[in-house]
Amino acid sequence: MENNLKENKTGIDLTKKLINEFQSYQSKLNGDASGNLNKLRMDAMSVFEKTGFPVKKMEEWKYTNLSPVMNHDFKFSSDLSDSDITQADIDKYIFSAGSVNLLVFINGIFSSELSSVISNNESIFIGSISEGMTSHKEIFDKHYSKYADYNNRSLAALNTAFFPEGAFIYLKKNTELNTPVHILNISDTKVNSVFSQPRNLVVIEEGSKIFIAEDYYSAGDNSSFTNMVTEFYCGKNSHTEHYKIQNEDERSFHVGMTQVHQEQDSHFSNTTISWGGSIIRNDLNSVFDGTNTESHFFGLYLLSGKQHVDNHTLADHKMPNCFSNELYKGIIGDNATGVFNGKIMVREDAQKTNAYQSNGNILLSDDATIYSKPQLEIFADDVKCSHGATSGQLNEDEMFYIKSRGIGDKDAKSLLLKAFVSDVLDSIKIEEFKVNIEEKMEMKLKNILK
Amino acid sequence: MLTIKNLKAKIETSEGDKQILKGINLTVNPGETHAIMGPNGSGKSTLASVLTGREGYVVTEGEVIYDGKDLLELDPEERAREGIFLAFQYPIEIPGVSNVNFLKTAINEIRKSKGEEPMTSVEFLKMMKEKAKLVNIEPEMLSRYVNVGFSGGEKKRNEIFQLAMLEPKLSILDETDSGLDIDALKIVAGGVNKLKSNDNAFIVITHYQRLLNYIVPDFVHVMYEGKIVRTGGKELALELEENGYDFINDLKENAEI
Ligand SMILES: Nc1ncnc2c1ncn2[C@@H]1O[C@H](COP(=O)(O)OP(=O)(O)O)[C@@H](O)[C@H]1O
Ligand SMILES: [Mg+2]
């Protein structure tokens, strides 16, 4: 361990602080310390201690350097005093005044006062994971940490070690929930730099349906570091629409893993939108564990200044007859950097796989950078796979045509850029949420085209 | 309204610069319709591009005065706001941008530049319906993306529809007739004729005399190798129809002597 840490200079101090924090957390556990859950925590911590934070020499982290994150004096949720964020403060983060199941987490800690859940009944649980793990113990034990493997993934290990913060969502068999769930995460950085580690578990049983919007904000002048993990279990013939939106400010860091387990005939769709934050790394992995499953990955990154956003995705076709489709688009301005690494894995048994992937980028400045890498690993012979990546500037003929009608340079660009990403935004099926996203995009585009 | 004096322009290509316009002189007054004819490659579209401010064209000599202003100093969008409109020879497709959104943005930008309030949605829709009738545009086409999936004829009609919506002072129609069958040609010409007034002017670039039966010009100019080599009344178009551009060969021979 010592050797590894010495080699891995990135974040030695923060790593040490986390180890201390873990020890003091353990000492407060008393009776809980011997349970299975705590064994998992200890095991996960030992994995993190071995590797520490990821560094650029690791192939998977080639383009993303976390060392700027380490220079901040982060406070952990246990050290933080209560946040003074009020109902009035969160109103601006809420996309619907109408019916929505709202879960609010401030610095990773569930706020029951600010949350409002209207759909709970004997088939539905929407709440904090610390409550859900007791009230729905059987479900929790069956699914928690069964999908997000933390071996070789030190950040997921770190998240697992500091459990529990986060949301628990459970739909029993054949439950169609049309009222969306909104998981609102706010880092309150007014007084301190904040380190939070949300851990969400979503269990959608056979034949059920859900819409989930998960978004992240920061409020205040200090820095924040979010290390989140969300696990999805999508039962047979279930339908899940999931949106993750990163709205943090330029002092924020966000690393996260969304791990999806799909049973036969299930349908999962994710849209990841990143326009806030300083350094972002998203891992989205879906494992197809039944035949005839369908998965859609949509992504949008809209970057300005020195922003750095790295999206790694994996569609893991283990079974025959599955379909995956991926569409990621980026608009990159100033000195910003985008990274797209989309992996399609088609294992031996996954005959009749259909897997498609496309990544398109528009670079708005000479100093903007995109690293786009498709990765197809195909071990079955009867498959249809395609991938394509483009990057370029706005089309000059289109620009001239639009300007020749009296539309100025910025508005012309904005029209074309909105058109460019419209198919990604169309993946958002909660109408009010989509409108909210479009307004935010308008603002972000103004900022990029300033 | 428009005075072009000894205009010379070149284009910058990957193979180097190429002089296209070699001294154009033209004056257009309000209420007038000018036809510019001439063989392919004469520089007609280049003139339209220079007048509307397309990138890649460099004016090497001469000047263009429009409404007392130095036109060449203005950006393309400023020229449009000042009332210049080009119906493109090859209209561009813009996937993802609807006709409605495109035109609404354009109209409101033009209004904003004049210090006027934006048009309300109701006013806008009403105007769209009226103008769409003028050129037989199906309302369904308006909600579609700009020119995407339109036939050649639909694209040309859409150009004239945009013209009708933006109500320019000086309209340049670049081969709007090419690719139109006779019925479509009549519709387009009929639309243009309804839009003509004593305050606006049209420059109609065409290859064939046919269109000029329906949009009757006050002046016909023949352009050849970047110059206007002949100017006359509408009868010149008929003469060209009958004799073709033979006289150009005469000009050439004279030049060679
Ligand atoms: N973008 C361009 N690149 C290279 N050559 C061009 C370009 N635009 C026009 N030209 C050339 O300039 C000349 C005039 O073209 P154009 O103005 O389109 O003529 P017209 O409209 O009269 O047919 C032609 O020789 C044409 O090939
Ligand atoms: Mg032409």
Side-chain angles (χ1 to χ4, degrees):
Chain A
M1 178 197 113
E2 276 302 312
N3 275 343
N4 265 308
L5 274 184
K6 247 176 234 151
E7 256 174 62
N8 173 1
K9 292 239 168 25
T10 304
I12 292 181
D13 289 350
L14 185 58
T15 306
K16 280 190 180 144
K17 249 170 87 176
L18 282 159
I19 293 169
N20 288 339
E21 175 68 16
F22 185 76
Q23 279 158 359
S24 87
Y25 169 74
Q26 283 294 321
S27 67
K28 285 180 221 147
L29 280 175
N30 300 326
D32 294 345
S34 58
N36 280 338
L37 188 58
N38 204 46
K39 280 196 193 125
L40 194 65
R41 288 188 190 112
M42 310 241 295
D43 184 55
M45 194 61 194
S46 72
V47 169
F48 175 73
E49 284 183 32
K50 255 184 227 133
T51 10
F53 285 96
V55 288
K56 283 187 81 170
K57 71 175 181 212
M58 300 171 177
E59 184 60 27
E60 293 286 292
W61 288 82
K62 199 168 166 183
Y63 300 110
T64 299
N65 178 10
L66 285 181
S67 57
V69 181
M70 309 301 154
N71 304 330
H72 298 266
D73 182 22
F74 292 110
K75 290 268 186 296
F76 305 109
S77 48
S78 58
D79 306 332
L80 292 165
S81 50
D82 286 349
S83 164
D84 58 3
I85 287 182
T86 63
Q87 185 66 48
D89 293 326
I90 67 160
D91 279 349
K92 63 172 177 279
Y93 304 127
I94 291 168
F95 61 84
S96 167
S99 53
V100 63
N101 290 293
L102 176 67
L103 296 176
V104 180
F105 294 85
I106 313 277
N107 300 332
I109 300 160
F110 181 62
S111 165
S112 55
E113 301 84 62
L114 298 174
S115 300
S116 57
V117 174
I118 54 181
S119 299
N120 278 354
N121 58 35
E122 72 276 1
S123 310
I124 300 175
F125 178 80
I126 300 164
S128 74
I129 203 159
S130 48
E131 185 188 345
M133 62 191 280
T134 359
S135 68
H136 292 70
K137 187 172 185 318
E138 216 174 295
I139 306 294
F140 177 84
D141 288 345
K142 193 168 158 198
H143 296 288
Y144 174 70
S145 200
K146 296 294 187 289
Y147 313 114
D149 179 8
Y150 56 72
N151 289 299
N152 300 319
R153 288 160 163 166
S154 63
L155 292 168
L158 183 63
N159 176 288
T160 308
F162 282 85
F163 182 81
E165 296 171 358
F168 185 41
I169 295 164
Y170 168 62
L171 292 194
K172 205 170 175 166
K173 198 170 167 177
N174 296 327
T175 307
E176 218 176 274
L177 178 60
N178 288 311
T179 307
V181 179
H182 181 189
I183 308 174
L184 172 59
N185 299 278
I186 304 169
S187 290
D188 180 357
T189 59
K190 286 194 286 292
V191 183
N192 295 297
S193 290
V194 173
F195 191 106
S196 62
Q197 304 205 71
R199 174 64 175 244
N200 308 311
L201 177 62
V202 182
V203 177
I204 309 302
E205 286 189 349
E206 183 175 345
S208 295
K209 182 178 178 186
I210 198 159
F211 297 86
I212 300 172
E214 172 189 347
D215 53 10
Y216 293 85
Y217 291 89
S218 51
D221 291 334
N222 292 292
S223 156
S224 67
F225 184 15
T226 302
N227 174 32
M228 53 75 52
V229 174
T230 300
E231 285 178 292
F232 277 93
Y233 169 83
C234 303
K236 274 185 194 168
N237 198 29
S238 64
H239 194 112
T240 304
E241 297 279 334
H242 174 233
Y243 317 116
K244 179 181 175 186
I245 320 293
Q246 295 167 305
N247 300 297
E248 292 113 312
D249 67 24
E250 65 279 10
R251 291 170 293 273
S252 303
F253 309 100
H254 183 126
V255 293
M257 179 161 110
T258 301
Q259 184 73 35
V260 186
H261 174 92
Q262 286 190 254
E263 295 281 335
Q264 184 184 326
D265 297 316
S266 63
H267 177 288
F268 173 83
S269 181
N270 170 280
T271 307
T272 298
I273 299 182
S274 317
W275 39 43
S278 165
I279 296 173
I280 285 180
R281 164 62 180 256
N282 296 312
D283 282 86
L284 170 62
N285 310 311
S286 193
V287 177
F288 300 172
D289 217 9
T291 56
N292 209 27
T293 61
E294 188 175 331
S295 209
H296 297 263
F297 296 168
F298 294 95
L300 167 63
Y301 37 98
L302 222 65
L303 312 178
S304 57
K306 289 193 163 96
Q307 285 185 292
H308 179 104
V309 170
D310 178 348
N311 280 297
H312 269 60
T313 64
L314 167 66
D316 189 350
H317 290 257
K318 281 186 166 171
M319 300 290 276
N321 271 311
C322 297
F323 172 89
S324 68
N325 187 35
E326 173 160 28
L327 177 65
Y328 267 63
K329 287 195 171 175
I331 298 171
I332 309 172
D334 300 333
N335 300 293
T337 305
V339 181
F340 172 79
N341 186 301
K343 186 163 169 179
I344 298 172
M345 171 73 100
V346 182
R347 295 182 193 266
E348 247 175 303
D349 293 337
Q351 298 296 357
K352 308 270 180 214
T353 287
N354 280 301
Y356 305 101
Q357 181 190 95
S358 149
N359 174 230
N361 297 282
I362 291 183
L363 303 177
L364 293 174
S365 95
D366 291 343
D367 299 318
T369 309
I370 175 74
Y371 300 102
S372 179
K373 186 178 169 197
Q375 243 182 306
L376 269 56
E377 293 186 19
I378 300 173
F379 300 98
D381 43 33
D382 184 12
V383 301
K384 277 192 200 143
C385 288
S386 77
H387 66 88
T390 58
S391 81
Q393 281 85 42
L394 287 170
N395 181 303
E396 275 182 28
D397 290 334
E398 292 177 4
M399 279 296 287
F400 177 64
Y401 189 76
I402 296 174
K403 287 183 188 181
S404 80
R405 300 313 186 226
I407 299 171
D409 189 67
K410 283 180 196 168
D411 290 289
K413 283 180 179 155
S414 174
L415 266 183
L416 288 178
L417 292 174
K418 279 189 267 185
F420 172 66
V421 301
S422 62
D423 46 3
V424 173
L425 292 194
D426 284 345
S427 68
I428 295 175
K429 303 287 187 254
I430 308 172
E431 200 42 46
E432 281 175 303
F433 193 52
K434 189 180 170 196
V435 170
N436 179 279
I437 298 279
E438 283 167 343
E439 285 165 4
K440 290 202 175 88
M441 185 170 76
E442 195 81 45
M443 276 162 54
K444 179 70 189 190
L445 281 177
K446 280 216 174 88
N447 175 302
I448 291 186
L449 299 171
K450 67 196 169 282
Chain B
M1 179 185 276
L2 180 78
T3 313
I4 303 174
K5 281 187 206 156
N6 190 32
L7 181 67
K8 296 186 182 175
K10 61 180 183 183
I11 48 169
E12 294 167 327
T13 73
S14 45
E15 289 108 53
D17 292 357
K18 193 170 163 192
Q19 194 72 31
I20 312 275
L21 301 184
K22 300 171 180 163
I24 303 273
N25 291 291
L26 181 69
T27 300
V28 179
N29 295 306
E32 292 178 353
T33 299
H34 291 247
I36 298 182
M37 303 183 73
N40 263 334
S42 309
K44 304 183 296 294
S45 293
T46 302
L47 176 62
S49 296
V50 170
L51 291 178
T52 47
R54 196 184 191 113
E55 260 175 58
Y57 296 81
V58 181
V59 173
T60 51
E61 220 181 302
E63 61 172 10
V64 181
I65 305 297
Y66 170 78
D67 269 355
K69 292 188 188 82
D70 180 357
L71 186 70
L72 302 176
E73 281 297 299
L74 303 180
D75 289 334
E77 63 270 27
E78 291 170 330
R79 300 182 196 199
R81 292 170 193 163
E82 295 289 334
I84 290 185
F85 181 92
L86 171 64
F88 283 63
Q89 180 172 2
Y90 305 108
I92 304 292
E93 297 184 8
I94 315 179
V97 179
S98 74
N99 276 303
V100 177
N101 186 21
F102 179 48
L103 276 173
K104 198 169 180 197
T105 310
I107 286 184
N108 285 334
E109 286 266 305
I110 293 171
R111 289 187 154 221
K112 198 166 95 188
S113 74
K114 296 180 179 152
E116 294 170 10
E117 289 294 305
M119 219 177 202
T120 67
S121 292
V122 178
E123 282 173 304
F124 178 76
L125 287 175
K126 193 167 156 246
M127 183 176 180
M128 276 228 306
K129 268 192 200 151
E130 276 168 24
K131 307 283 184 178
K133 270 192 221 140
L134 210 63
V135 279
N136 269 20
I137 293 247
E138 304 293 328
E140 169 270 330
M141 270 170 68
L142 301 175
S143 56
R144 280 160 57 187
Y145 294 146
V146 178
N147 293 326
V148 177
F150 287 22
S151 70
E154 283 172 332
K155 285 181 184 169
K156 295 299 177 82
R157 273 191 282 149
N158 195 32
E159 293 293 290
I160 304 305
F161 168 67
Q162 292 179 30
L163 189 162
M165 290 294 289
L166 300 180
E167 299 176 330
K169 278 193 264 183
L170 175 66
S171 303
I172 305 162
L173 276 53
D174 192 358
E175 303 221 15
T176 302
D177 51 337
S178 63
L180 291 186
D181 62 30
I182 191 72
D183 293 329
L185 185 85
K186 282 184 190 168
I187 292 167
V188 164
V192 170
N193 286 329
K194 278 186 209 137
L195 297 168
K196 272 194 192 179
S197 78
N198 288 332
D199 303 320
N200 62 21
F202 286 81
I203 297 176
V204 181
I205 296 172
T206 179
H207 207 64
Y208 307 102
Q209 187 270 337
R210 196 177 63 153
L211 176 68
L212 304 179
N213 288 334
Y214 302 96
I215 303 176
V216 181
D218 302 296
F219 301 94
V220 174
H221 311 276
V222 179
M223 193 156 157
Y224 180 67
E225 289 196 343
K227 276 186 179 169
I228 289 176
V229 292
R230 265 188 84 178
T231 292
K234 63 178 182 238
E235 63 291 343
L236 176 57
L238 290 168
E239 189 190 320
L240 290 173
E241 177 80 353
E242 249 164 60
N243 304 331
Y245 292 104
D246 281 352
F247 72 95
I248 284 172
N249 291 329
D250 299 346
L251 288 177
K252 249 194 205 160
E253 278 159 25
N254 288 341
E256 275 162 20
I257 294 168

